[in-house]
Amino acid sequence: MTDTTTRILDLGPQSRIVARLAAAVRDEQLTHGTPCPAYPVGTLLGHLAGLAAAFRDAARKDLGATTDTPPTDSEPRLGPGWRTELPRVLGELAEAWREPAAWTGMTRAGGVDLPGAVAGAVAADELVIHGWDLARATGQEYTPDPVALEATYAFLRAAADDPSRGGGIFAPVVPVPEDAPLLDRAVGLSGRDPGRTPR
């Protein structure tokens, strides 16, 4: 068996968890802060919709505008139909990554060429960590899919150990005790403080 960053993962369970979290967001919460300082809840939801489309197309090797644009090029916009659009595109993301071909060869996401297996691990990471962001910002309970969480932790652990990454994907790693829950350790590796509550 290959390691958790390269084996085929079913992203369906984690996609459904994120969709349920999004469905419970109240309109008045869209302006609330999140653990991503530049992203209030509404912007985070727009980011989730955009990344779901990008990684869906990366899985399909359908390279174009969704896969070629770095996420920092523009602020994510939340469209008026997001309550229908977001769960739909999350479902399409999960379905696309069920194809074995998605995990082979090269693809592109965020304007970066990378192996399909790595893109799949990044997709899992995005869903798990941003699921935590969304739950924390809106006061919801959060238990990520265990398989996606394990893949996320392995991916972030390898990234944190890579000196060229500057210690973390999103920000410097936040130290978390080794005996902390796996989700807290993954959150710390992503550059977030698992104990912090957004204001």
Side-chain angles (χ1 to χ4, degrees):
M1 180 179 291
T2 54
D3 68 90
T4 53
T5 62
T6 57
R7 73 169 183 247
I8 295 176
L9 306 173
D10 182 2
L11 298 181
Q14 183 61 28
S15 295
R16 290 190 292 272
I17 288 168
V18 173
R20 285 197 299 270
L21 291 169
V25 173
R26 303 186 305 276
D27 288 346
E28 64 268 23
Q29 293 177 313
L30 294 175
T31 58
H32 289 190
T34 74
C36 297
Y39 281 10
V41 170
T43 304
L44 177 62
L45 289 165
H47 176 64
L48 278 164
L51 76 85
F55 281 97
R56 172 201 65 198
D57 293 345
R60 295 171 175 173
K61 310 296 196 295
D62 183 11
L63 308 184
T66 59
T67 62
D68 294 355
T69 305
T72 54
D73 274 11
S74 62
E75 181 176 312
R77 300 290 182 183
L78 189 63
W82 71 269
R83 290 189 183 276
T84 301
E85 172 70 13
L86 182 55
R88 180 184 65 78
V89 75
L90 284 167
E92 292 172 351
L93 162 74
E95 189 61 31
W97 284 101
R98 290 190 180 103
E99 292 294 330
W103 299 84
T104 63
M106 295 293 293
T107 190
R108 186 179 306 134
V112 177
D113 292 326
L114 67 173
V118 174
V122 175
D125 165 68
E126 293 276 356
L127 292 172
V128 168
I129 297 300
H130 286 318
W132 180 86
D133 290 332
L134 186 58
R136 183 56 60 96
T138 57
Q140 298 186 61
E141 294 295 324
Y142 181 53
T143 302
D145 172 59
V147 176
L149 175 58
E150 289 178 8
T152 295
Y153 180 78
F155 172 72
L156 290 171
R157 176 76 270 166
D161 289 341
D162 182 350
S164 70
R165 294 295 183 95
I169 295 291
F170 304 100
V173 169
V174 174
V176 175
E178 285 299 317
D179 60 351
L182 187 61
L183 177 59
D184 287 358
R185 285 182 278 149
V187 166
L189 287 171
S190 78
R192 294 153 169 79
D193 180 353
R196 180 176 177 273
T197 302
R199 299 296 179 195

